[in-house]
Amino acid sequence: SFMFYNLLTEEETTLTIHPNTFMEGTFIEDLQLTPQNALPKMKQLVDEVKKVNGHFISIWHNHSLSNQNEWTGLKEVHNAIAAYAAAHKNP
C-alpha cells in the first residue's frame, strides 16, 4: 500500500492505494493453468507479498466460484488460498 501522489500538484495525498496481487482469471484464461496448477503459483505470490510486509489482495469473480465449465475446482482453490494467506499474516 502507498499514498497516492498527485502529479498535477506534485503532492502526496491522503488517499491510500491498495494494489491487488492477482486476479484469478489470469491463471485460468491467460496462463491456461488448471486450478490445481494455479494454486502453487498463487501461494508463491502470497509469500512474495508477505516478504515485504505487504497486504495480499486478490480479485475473484462470482462465476469463477461456480464450479462450472472451465471454473471447476476454482472454488476449492479460493478457499485454500484464503486459508493460506490467513495463516501467513504479518504480525
Side-chain angles (χ1 to χ4, degrees), residues 3 6 11 20 22 40 46 53 56 61 69 71 77 81 91:
M3 303 309 288
N6 186 328
E11 296 175 320
N20 66 292
F22 67 75
V46 170
N53 294 319
F56 173 72
H61 295 87
N69 303 320
W71 306 108
V77 169
I81 201 65

Side-chain angles (χ1 to χ4, degrees), residues 3-21:
M3 303 309 288
F4 180 77
Y5 188 80
N6 186 328
L7 294 173
L8 296 176
T9 62
E10 291 289 331
E11 296 175 320
E12 184 178 277
T13 69
T14 58
L15 176 65
T16 303
I17 304 296
H18 300 279
N20 66 292
T21 306

Side-chain angles (χ1 to χ4, degrees), residues 1-76:
S1 300
F2 56 92
M3 303 309 288
F4 180 77
Y5 188 80
N6 186 328
L7 294 173
L8 296 176
T9 62
E10 291 289 331
E11 296 175 320
E12 184 178 277
T13 69
T14 58
L15 176 65
T16 303
I17 304 296
H18 300 279
N20 66 292
T21 306
F22 67 75
M23 181 176 65
E24 90 296 20
T26 303
F27 295 98
I28 306 305
E29 294 176 332
D30 298 335
L31 298 175
Q32 298 290 301
L33 296 175
T34 65
Q36 296 75 23
N37 290 336
L39 182 57
K41 296 190 180 302
M42 291 176 179
K43 286 181 176 181
Q44 183 180 18
L45 290 170
V46 170
D47 294 340
E48 291 298 319
V49 168
K50 297 308 173 182
K51 281 182 188 175
V52 296
N53 294 319
H55 299 280
F56 173 72
I57 299 171
S58 59
I59 299 173
W60 294 79
H61 295 87
N62 294 343
H63 61 266
S64 68
L65 302 178
S66 69
N67 268 334
Q68 296 178 3
N69 303 320
E70 71 268 26
W71 306 108
T72 300
L74 209 54
K75 184 174 184 177
E76 291 76 17

